[in-house]
Amino acid sequence: MASRNPIGVFDSGYGGLTVLKEIIYKLPQYDYLYLGDNARSPYGNRSFDTVYHYTLECVQWFFQQGCSLVILACNTASAKALRTLQQNDLPKIAPNKRVLGVIRPTAEIIGNFSETQEVGILATIGTVVSESYPMEIAKFFPDLKVFQEACPMWVPLVENNEHTHHGADFFVKKNMHSIFEKGENIDVLLMACTHYPLLREKIEEYLPVGVKLVSQGEIVADSLADYLLRHPEIESLCSQKGQRSFYTTDSTADFDNHATIFFGEAVLSKHIDLETIKSGK
Ligand code: DGL
């Protein structure tokens, strides 16, 4: 009988912890192995090739740890690496394992929230340039108008713990103003980056009345629960002892400090060397 192992949850850094938190809330019985590639984050401004190679290395590390299912809890990695991983790499390196992202589950549902049929997407430059959201959303809601806004300063604001301070207002106001200039009938605004839920209160200050602000964690958690129900062949390979472990490619002290903000509870991470990840050992 094949052994059961944790579900892998990957992010460029801390942000995926906001997604993991919702997944654990929905599916506490499973074991989770989290990896933040902090030594090479942020991914948001990097090229397709770079994000793809970094993500592939990390996914292979999860497979070596025995994970049969890996969630890319990072919009940028989902936008730039997932398709190639699923179509080209998995069939060769691990045909029985699965890698899922955060964009498709969101695209499947986002149109249901809108009355005006206009939605706004707030994301990193990488996610916006990839056009992944407009392309995926068009498959499920062909008549929905999608407006995108890259917010490159928002991740650094959160990472430097400035997101609740006055300095954050300048950039949040600027990007909020810009997206509603592009689509004045937007009635649903998606925070399509793992860091943005931490800016919720600031974003709400600049949110026009009647606009719904949507975060992804809950959507991804619901979609994972549904996936596990529909795929017993994968579910039966996921261990269920309610255990969580956290790895970072950078400083564990930094990770643990930030994790409290992103995850909402204390975390004791372990270090994994980038060289180990790169060499695939
Ligand atoms: N986790 C990334 C995302 O959701 C944001 C951080 C980064 O740029 O690496 O797009």
Side-chain angles (χ1 to χ4, degrees), residues 22-190:
E22 297 295 338
I23 291 178
I24 290 176
Y25 186 72
K26 177 94 190 171
L27 299 163
Q29 67 273 36
Y30 292 99
D31 299 340
Y32 297 96
L33 172 60
Y34 184 93
L35 173 64
D37 190 9
N38 297 85
R40 300 187 290 196
S41 76
Y43 280 14
N45 302 343
R46 294 192 188 276
S47 71
F48 267 82
D49 232 34
T50 302
V51 173
Y52 161 65
H53 281 109
Y54 288 178
T55 307
L56 174 60
E57 285 170 1
C58 292
V59 163
Q60 283 179 302
W61 177 82
F62 280 109
F63 290 166
Q64 282 146 19
Q65 312 313 304
C67 301
S68 294
L69 177 61
V70 178
I71 313 296
L72 302 185
C74 172
N75 282 276
T76 310
S78 299
K80 293 186 161 186
L82 183 61
R83 186 186 294 262
T84 315
L85 277 171
Q86 286 175 332
Q87 292 179 355
N88 296 354
D89 297 300
L90 280 192
K92 286 184 231 146
I93 62 172
N96 298 325
K97 295 185 187 268
R98 296 289 174 268
V99 181
L100 306 175
V102 290
I103 295 180
R104 189 171 176 113
T106 312
E108 279 175 8
I109 200 169
I110 193 78
N112 295 339
F113 303 133
S114 176
E115 304 264 318
T116 61
Q117 295 301 296
E118 292 195 9
V119 302
I121 309 288
L122 305 166
T124 64
I125 293 177
T127 300
V128 168
V129 170
S130 76
E131 291 281 326
S132 298
Y133 273 100
M135 283 189 301
E136 283 298 320
I137 291 173
K139 292 179 192 161
F140 302 98
F141 303 98
D143 298 327
L144 201 69
K145 279 195 191 158
V146 180
F147 300 91
Q148 301 195 92
E149 174 72 9
C151 313
M153 294 306 291
W154 291 17
V155 166
L157 283 172
V158 174
E159 299 236 323
N160 291 293
N161 213 1
E162 291 288 339
H163 53 291
T164 55
H165 300 145
H166 288 311
D169 285 85
F170 177 83
F171 291 105
V172 172
K173 188 177 171 187
K174 179 176 173 224
N175 293 122
M176 290 293 281
H177 183 73
S178 169
I179 193 153
F180 286 102
E181 235 178 31
K182 291 174 194 168
E184 57 184 32
N185 293 319
I186 290 172
D187 66 347
V188 172
L189 195 58
L190 174 70

